[in-house]
Amino acid sequence: MAKLKVLLASSEVVPFAKTGGLADVAGSLPLALEELGIDIRVIIPKYASVKAAGDSTTIGKNVKVYFAENDDYFNRKELYGDKFGDYKDNLDRFAFFSREILERCKREKFAPDVIQCNDWQTALVPVYLNTLYKYDPFFAGTKVLYTIHNMAYQGLFPKEEFPKIGLDWALFHINYFEFYDKVNLMKAGLVYSDAISTVSPTYAKEILTQEFGCGLEGVLKTRENVLSGILNGIDYKLWNPEKDTKIFKRYSADSLQDKYANKEMFQKEMGLKVDRNIPMFGMISRLAEQKGADFVADIIDKMLNMKTQFVLLGTGDNKYHLIFEKIARKYPLFASISLKFDAVLAQKIYASSDLFFMPSRYEPCGLSQIISFKYGTIPIARQTGGLKDTVQEFDPRTGKGTGFTFIEPRSEGLLSAVKKALSVYKDKPLWTSLAKSVMGLDYSWKASAREYVDLFNRIVKRQCV
Ligand code: ADP
């Protein structure tokens, strides 16, 4: 039987370019699909951060990665914008990328059975396939899966920019691109795709509601029959304290004392009070409204008064930078604040922290809690989206559960979860057994990649539900 041919199109892919979880997924899912016998290829813009020479390379055993080249658009330091805001030509850039995805398929003589598009940056692919390429025999058998990693980023542009897409003005219509008098790329992408997925089963249900649908819940409702949720996995070759070369000392569930050695060395490196018995709370996050960093800021005085330490690595909205800079000044020995993107520091924080904050207002899947598990670091998570699917409340009486949770998006809830966590932390044997048990959880791609293969097969057979 011929191999199923899939092209994964993404604006970020580890190890070439990353701003968030999309890059992790786009860099690791293809490796798992390759293991399952899919002819999987990847395409990404050639940004300045792409060090590979030429217009393609390989990852995994032999997964081809195509680079879409256009120095004017992509040879820049950042992916989507700089300190002055989003790049002004983002629509030109990602319309170009979407066209190039299809043109590259033709040049490579690779006619995918399914193109998996990810988020608004590739949302024009299904639109172009159904308009400009509608009668192109090359794509006669090509279907599109649109994977939503975050409903809040839709690719919105002023109406005046619509001609940049190169399509008839008739499509600037409420049933396609038009969204409150703006151009909405995600909306048109959702309408034209053969199937839609998102990154956790709970988020797949949530986005059909007004609270989480970000204005597109109505469009999604009309496509509910082709919408599904598949939980993200992570690549344990990259995220594994037994093999991690970036942390101070490698450890496993059987050598947890070495995790605490990491904590001490980290405290020393960051100028914090050195004491392995101080519970350390980590947070690694885009600093955006979504992530609930303000809940943490609200409780920080109370929390640090309970003899704890807080370590933040994050970058984003300036208002959060100002809040956390102040906290850093106030608590030099108890708060370490790094307002930047730093992959190596992230690994050290996962390894050194005892607990990990994910107080998100919404969370499509969330990878950090899954990474934390592997490092024996216990998440404190709000029960929403993928967090709900992965973090279960720990019950000290039964020893069941994987973290500490709260429901309402309020700092009071977070504080009570912190208190619950600290009371368990005091009981060292109980804490150790919790840390060991989460390290044994399996969130590799094994199960989820199989679900994607099933979905691809259903799409090809036109049975998307
Ligand atoms: P999102 O994709 O919404 O940003 P996820 O939890 O799905 O959130 O994925 C975030 C990924 O980005 C994780 O791998 C996390 O470790 C990483 N990350 C986030 N902020 C930073 C940062 N400032 N420095 C290094 N890595 C970061």
Side-chain angles (χ1 to χ4, degrees):
M1 213 173 73
K3 279 186 169 185
L4 197 68
K5 288 179 285 182
V6 178
L7 179 70
L8 186 148
S10 175
S11 61
E12 40 188 284
V13 179
V14 164
F16 308 107
K18 167 168 171 175
T19 69
L22 167 60
D24 293 304
V25 173
S28 55
L29 171 59
L31 311 188
L33 292 172
E34 178 181 41
E35 294 294 325
L36 295 176
I38 304 293
D39 180 356
I40 172 76
R41 307 187 191 189
V42 177
I43 184 163
I44 176 186
K46 190 161 187 186
Y47 304 106
S49 62
V50 177
K51 298 293 173 247
D55 69 354
S56 69
T57 187
T58 55
I59 55 173
K61 290 205 180 79
N62 196 19
V63 175
K64 193 100 180 159
V65 178
Y66 299 120
F67 299 123
E69 293 181 300
N70 184 320
D71 278 352
D72 285 347
Y73 287 156
F74 300 127
N75 192 9
R76 303 180 189 179
K77 198 161 161 275
E78 304 297 338
L79 305 197
Y80 314 123
D82 53 23
K83 62 176 191 276
F84 303 109
D86 290 346
Y87 291 135
K88 295 279 175 276
D89 57 353
N90 272 347
L91 185 53
D92 306 83
R93 298 171 77 225
F94 290 102
F96 167 82
F97 180 44
S98 296
R99 277 299 289 271
E100 179 58 14
I101 290 165
L102 298 171
E103 288 299 322
R104 188 67 182 263
C105 285
K106 296 184 78 166
R107 290 204 300 279
E108 300 291 340
K109 301 190 173 41
F110 179 68
D113 297 303
V114 180
I115 303 180
Q116 183 181 0
C117 295
N118 296 277
D119 282 350
W120 68 266
Q121 294 88 344
T122 48
L124 286 172
V125 171
V127 186
Y128 287 146
L129 264 182
N130 280 285
T131 51
L132 306 179
Y133 296 82
K134 191 170 171 64
Y135 301 105
D136 187 332
F138 187 83
F139 290 114
T142 300
K143 303 275 187 291
V144 175
L145 168 66
Y146 186 113
T147 302
I148 300 167
H149 296 260
N150 195 326
M151 278 310 293
Y153 300 90
Q154 302 183 353
L156 285 177
F157 297 93
K159 173 182 174 172
E160 295 67 37
E161 290 195 38
F162 184 75
K164 291 178 171 179
I165 296 173
L167 295 172
D168 197 295
W169 267 107
L171 288 178
F172 188 76
H173 181 281
I174 185 135
N175 290 344
Y176 304 100
F177 282 99
E178 199 262 334
F179 183 76
Y180 298 100
D181 214 32
K182 286 199 165 133
V183 179
N184 186 325
L185 300 193
M186 181 190 261
K187 181 175 177 181
L190 294 176
V191 170
Y192 276 113
S193 294
D194 298 282
I196 301 167
S197 71
T198 186
V199 288
S200 69
T202 294
Y203 196 58
K205 289 189 208 120
E206 288 174 343
I207 57 180
L208 293 168
T209 66
Q210 199 179 6
E211 186 182 354
F212 295 96
C214 300
L216 290 183
E217 58 277 6
V219 177
L220 285 167
K221 273 260 177 222
T222 66
R223 309 241 50 214
E224 196 176 347
N225 59 331
V226 295
L227 170 66
S228 57
I230 301 177
L231 198 67
N232 284 334
I234 59 168
D235 183 350
Y236 287 132
K237 286 202 189 89
L238 296 178
W239 301 108
N240 185 345
E242 287 179 59
K243 300 202 178 115
D244 194 327
T245 55
K246 301 292 191 289
I247 63 179
F248 297 100
K249 193 162 187 192
R250 285 174 233 169
Y251 61 95
S252 70
D254 296 325
S255 59
L256 270 181
Q257 67 282 3
D258 291 337
K259 176 172 172 61
Y260 303 115
N262 272 283
K263 180 167 44 170
E264 279 183 346
M265 285 185 259
F266 183 78
Q267 288 168 324
K268 206 163 169 191
E269 183 169 288
M270 302 313 271
L272 295 171
K273 183 174 159 71
V274 179
D275 178 351
R276 65 168 62 189
N277 292 317
I278 299 181
M280 182 188 281
F281 292 74
M283 181 165 188
I284 303 169
S285 176
R286 287 183 293 109
L287 294 177
E289 166 103 359
Q290 172 195 347
K291 299 292 183 178
D294 48 325
F295 300 141
V296 177
D298 285 348
I299 67 160
I300 201 84
D301 292 322
K302 289 199 177 100
M303 191 186 116
L304 295 182
N305 275 332
M306 293 188 259
K307 296 200 173 50
T308 62
Q309 284 177 336
F310 173 59
V311 175
L312 172 73
L313 169 62
T315 172
D317 294 355
N318 198 40
K319 75 171 183 188
Y320 298 111
H321 285 221
L322 297 176
I323 293 172
F324 285 107
E325 276 164 0
K326 216 164 135 189
I327 291 170
R329 284 194 296 273
K330 193 165 167 193
Y331 298 105
L333 295 178
F334 295 92
S336 155
I337 307 293
S338 305
L339 300 170
K340 58 179 176 178
F341 192 94
D342 183 336
V344 173
L345 184 56
Q347 279 160 269
K348 290 181 176 174
I349 295 175
Y350 286 120
S352 307
S353 306
D354 299 293
L355 294 125
F356 194 92
F357 277 133
M358 290 204 74
S360 308
R361 287 190 165 77
Y362 68 93
E363 194 57 74
C365 176
L367 295 176
S368 296
Q369 79 281 19
I370 297 175
I371 300 170
S372 292
F373 285 148
K374 190 67 186 170
Y375 284 79
T377 303
I378 311 301
I380 298 200
R382 195 174 151 244
Q383 290 290 273
T384 182
L387 293 173
K388 197 167 167 183
D389 293 335
T390 52
V391 184
Q392 279 84 42
E393 176 69 22
F394 180 70
D395 181 343
R397 285 164 306 172
T398 62
K400 290 215 164 54
T402 55
F404 300 94
T405 64
F406 63 107
I407 295 170
E408 293 302 323
R410 284 204 303 266
S411 42
E412 292 81 4
L414 177 61
L415 185 62
S416 73
V418 165
K419 287 181 180 160
K420 282 188 286 185
L422 289 176
S423 76
V424 176
Y425 184 84
K426 281 196 199 115
D427 183 338
K428 280 283 166 261
L430 189 59
W431 189 263
T432 305
S433 84
L434 171 57
K436 281 187 180 185
S437 78
V438 299
M439 288 176 86
L441 296 170
D442 184 359
Y443 284 103
S444 65
W445 274 107
K446 229 183 294 161
S448 296
R450 276 217 174 82
E451 287 188 53
Y452 272 106
V453 174
D454 288 347
L455 179 57
F456 294 145
N457 280 317
R458 290 201 303 277
I459 293 170
V460 170
K461 292 184 197 138
R462 293 180 175 277
Q463 309 162 331
C464 308
V465 261

